[in-house]
């Protein structure tokens, strides 16, 4: 998905495009807004634009290079997605587990594999308990060069204030 195909979120898209155009990317973004308004779709488009090897003049992903295809299939080596795991009964775990954050920290200690950048999509960060959020905090504070976090939340008010303060907030409207 490209930025131009995301409807109803022109302000959020403009914030992202300006950051890409100016080369002033924040190390952590918090995409906050109601459920179902395109936050996750925009986060994936942003990740694709950051890892694309042939971006367009409007700073969008080309959608055709190998990196874009792998990001679209969630198979890119430098794209890390943290979300609640599925249980054996098919339901989702209640929370994001601390071992997921520790595995992420270990993988972020290595250099980027193919893209030069590493992207972490953290879906439903409000589903981290305080100890998990605190484990993530050190990495969020000092993520390493060319590592970008995109937190996607329907309930940003449930995040620890210290996590929110480390992120540039991008608001999504209804």
């Amino acid at each position: 998905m490209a930025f131009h195909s995301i409807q109803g979120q022109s302000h959020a898209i403009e914030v992202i495009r300006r950051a890409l155009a100016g080369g002033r990317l924040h190390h952590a973004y918090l995409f906050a807004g109601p459920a179902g308004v395109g936050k996750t779709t925009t986060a994936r488009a942003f990740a694709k634009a950051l890892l694309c090897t042939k971006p367009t003049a409007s700073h969008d992903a080309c959608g055709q290079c190998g990196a874009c295809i792998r990001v679209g299939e969630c198979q890119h080596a430098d794209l890390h997605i943290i979300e609640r795991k599925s249980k054996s009964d098919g339901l989702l775990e209640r929370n994001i587990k601390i071992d997921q954050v520790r595995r992420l920290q270990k993988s972020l200690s290595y250099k980027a594999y193919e893209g030069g950048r590493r992207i972490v999509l953290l879906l439903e960060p409000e589903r981290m308990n305080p100890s998990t959020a605190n484990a993530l905090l050190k990495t969020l504070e000092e993520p390493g060069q060319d590592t970008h976090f995109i937190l996607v939340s329907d309930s940003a008010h449930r995040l620890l204030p210290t996590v929110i303060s480390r992120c540039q907030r991008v608001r999504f409207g209804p």
Side-chain angles (χ1 to χ4, degrees), residues 44-102:
R44 290 181 190 277
F46 189 24
K48 194 179 280 191
L50 287 169
L51 292 170
C52 180
T53 58
K54 300 174 189 172
T56 66
S58 62
H59 305 285
D60 210 341
C62 73
Q64 299 174 352
C65 69
C68 285
I69 293 168
R70 285 190 300 284
V71 169
E73 297 172 349
C74 299
Q75 297 296 319
H76 196 287
D78 296 322
L79 175 65
H80 306 276
I81 300 174
I82 304 296
E83 59 189 340
R84 293 186 293 158
K85 298 283 185 190
S86 294
K87 296 191 288 187
S88 59
D89 60 5
L91 299 174
L92 292 175
E93 291 281 348
R94 182 179 176 139
N95 292 313
I96 294 172
K97 304 291 185 192
I98 197 166
D99 66 307
Q100 292 174 265
V101 170
R102 289 192 175 129

Side-chain angles (χ1 to χ4, degrees), residues 77-132:
D78 296 322
L79 175 65
H80 306 276
I81 300 174
I82 304 296
E83 59 189 340
R84 293 186 293 158
K85 298 283 185 190
S86 294
K87 296 191 288 187
S88 59
D89 60 5
L91 299 174
L92 292 175
E93 291 281 348
R94 182 179 176 139
N95 292 313
I96 294 172
K97 304 291 185 192
I98 197 166
D99 66 307
Q100 292 174 265
V101 170
R102 289 192 175 129
R103 281 195 305 270
L104 171 69
Q105 290 168 328
K106 182 174 179 167
S107 64
L108 291 179
S109 69
Y110 302 113
K111 289 179 63 174
Y113 181 70
E114 60 180 294
R117 286 187 171 137
R118 294 173 296 190
I119 312 301
V120 178
L121 285 181
L122 183 51
L123 306 177
E124 297 182 297
E126 66 273 8
R127 295 294 189 146
M128 293 185 292
N129 62 34
S131 60
T132 303

Side-chain angles (χ1 to χ4, degrees), residues 120-155:
V120 178
L121 285 181
L122 183 51
L123 306 177
E124 297 182 297
E126 66 273 8
R127 295 294 189 146
M128 293 185 292
N129 62 34
S131 60
T132 303
N134 283 322
L136 176 72
L137 198 56
K138 180 68 175 168
T139 305
L140 196 58
E141 288 173 338
E142 300 170 11
Q145 189 172 1
D146 291 322
T147 300
H148 303 280
F149 285 81
I150 307 169
L151 285 69
V152 180
S153 178
D154 300 341
S155 304

